[in-house]
Amino acid sequence: MFNKSRLTVARQRSGLTMKELASKAGIEPRTITGYEAGEYLPSEDVAKRLSRILGFPLAFFMSDDVDIPRAEGVSFRSMSKMTARQRDGAIAAGAIAFMLSDWLDAEFDLPVSVVPDMREDTPQSAAAGLRDYWGLGNRPIKNMVHLLELKGVRVFSLGEDGKEVDAFSVWRGQRPYVFLNSQKSAERSRFDAAHELGHLVLHKHAAPNGLEAEKQANEFAAAFLMPEAPLRAVGRISGLPKVVELKRAWAVSVAAMTYRLHELGLASKWTYQQLFMEISRRGWRTDEPMPMRREQSQVWKKVLDDLRQNGGGVERLAATLSVPESEIVKLLFGLVTVAVPSNPDASITPRRGNLRLVK
């Protein structure tokens, strides 16, 4: 039977309003509204037409309800920059990520979530407490994506056009999810990952939106990535070369390190202003000095390697889920190198895999 929730997801992933879809399909807007409300079902001919327009296989619309993230439970970093169309498209991408996550759980043994609820803590104490809980000490975090995956967070990419759709996170039952904008620098993407981790630990039982929630997540990210004690051991900073050295050691943007040093009182207001003027003059607000390599997923590398060894790949995975291959690629873009299988007719061996994530 044609599934209304799947029609909504496919339409929003295609960036169409109900009126626009109705126009393309040659039917009344009220008819699309009725389909998505579950008031009535499209004919076989109309269903095929909708499938063709939206670019989703007909089989996608003929399965069980798809779990769609609740808008009020999603933390978007830049709500003011996004249009409603962009927001809905990103949330619909979350629904496909949930399908992909369910497939992962069915096929592989992966870590359960050990992300605690720290809503009673301040952002700074939560950052220090989580480092202690996870046994990280005060060392630089080598790879945020690997760390999140090791702790049971599902990490996906946002392959949307433009930077207006920023990173976001969401809880789904006991499983946390983080979505990262693949168009940002590696340093800024790391900060986004830490920012979303802040939302996950600080705002699990509250709507994680609003200026105060964003401020708290930013404070958490700065304290988590750049802990206070080792920076204080460095002493006061007066010049940009030392800032660049520290930014490279802690794998953050030069702007984030400058702000953190000022926040800790290690750079005076005058020094802070002069540093930012020089950072802007050199173009380092967008292009990092000595840029780091983008962090990739350990989980998805191992999963795709396993699928390829058994005659599958992204194309077969898309066929298994009845979604366009492009949707899988967007969710994994930048996190792993994706390629179509050499033998597209081969089937995926139905067995559970045991992936081991290492620190």
Side-chain angles (χ1 to χ4, degrees), residues 146-292:
H146 288 184
L147 177 64
L148 292 177
E149 291 178 332
L150 185 66
K151 303 306 178 182
V153 181
R154 291 282 155 82
V155 182
F156 291 97
S157 182
L158 281 171
E160 310 305 305
D161 293 331
K163 296 184 179 180
E164 295 83 7
V165 182
D166 221 322
F168 72 90
S169 57
V170 65
W171 279 95
R172 181 196 184 204
Q174 296 304 307
R175 176 72 72 182
Y177 292 76
V178 165
F179 296 79
L180 300 175
N181 188 307
S182 58
Q183 298 187 34
K184 287 191 172 184
S185 70
E187 290 86 350
R188 283 168 170 76
S189 186
R190 269 174 61 89
F191 195 90
D192 281 352
H195 176 102
E196 297 308 326
L197 177 60
H199 278 306
L200 292 173
V201 300
L202 294 171
H203 307 133
K204 182 175 181 180
H205 298 289
N209 294 310
L211 293 177
E212 183 59 27
E214 290 301 300
K215 179 174 179 290
Q216 291 173 356
N218 272 335
E219 291 173 354
F220 172 93
F224 189 73
L225 290 175
M226 298 167 279
E228 181 175 352
L231 289 182
R232 288 203 178 280
V234 174
R236 292 181 67 83
I237 303 299
S238 59
L240 194 54
K242 187 62 178 180
V243 178
V244 173
E245 178 186 326
L246 289 171
K247 93 101 195 177
R248 191 178 186 188
W250 293 92
V252 295
S253 71
V254 69
M257 179 55 72
T258 301
Y259 186 87
R260 180 64 169 156
L261 292 169
H262 177 57
E263 181 182 52
L264 295 175
L266 300 175
S268 67
K269 183 177 180 180
W270 185 87
T271 300
Y272 172 72
Q273 292 171 340
Q274 293 300 308
L275 287 172
F276 258 105
M277 287 175 59
E278 183 64 12
I279 289 169
S280 297
R281 187 186 71 80
R282 297 187 183 211
W284 288 352
R285 298 295 296 270
T286 52
D287 297 318
E288 288 292 323
M290 292 183 285
M292 62 178 288

Side-chain angles (χ1 to χ4, degrees), residues 24-76:
K24 287 179 177 291
I27 56 182
E28 292 295 320
R30 178 67 184 86
T31 304
I32 297 293
T33 303
Y35 292 159
E36 293 197 15
E39 294 175 1
Y40 36 84
L41 300 173
S43 66
E44 182 178 352
D45 177 65
V46 171
K48 289 179 179 178
R49 203 182 316 160
L50 294 174
S51 169
R52 184 173 60 254
I53 292 168
L54 296 174
F56 277 69
L58 185 60
F60 174 79
F61 302 95
M62 303 298 179
S63 192
D64 296 336
D65 285 347
V66 63
D67 196 4
I68 303 174
R70 295 178 302 104
E72 63 273 17
V74 175
S75 74
F76 282 109

Side-chain angles (χ1 to χ4, degrees), residues 92-157:
I96 296 176
F98 286 173
M99 295 171 59
L100 200 48
S101 181
D102 289 343
W103 174 84
L104 273 180
D105 286 333
E107 298 293 329
F108 299 94
D109 294 316
L110 291 168
V112 297
S113 170
V114 288
V115 178
D117 179 356
M118 307 181 80
R119 55 179 161 158
E120 301 298 329
D121 291 68
T122 66
Q124 293 80 6
S125 64
L130 187 59
R131 272 183 164 268
D132 183 61
Y133 180 62
W134 283 352
L136 301 176
N138 279 327
R139 304 183 305 274
I141 295 171
K142 294 180 179 179
N143 190 308
M144 273 298 299
V145 172
H146 288 184
L147 177 64
L148 292 177
E149 291 178 332
L150 185 66
K151 303 306 178 182
V153 181
R154 291 282 155 82
V155 182
F156 291 97
S157 182

Side-chain angles (χ1 to χ4, degrees), residues 13 55-56 159 314 318 323-333:
R13 287 305 297 148
F56 277 69
V314 172
V323 299
E325 185 179 352
S326 61
E327 291 295 328
I328 305 294
V329 171
K330 287 178 181 179
L331 287 169
L332 303 184
F333 184 78

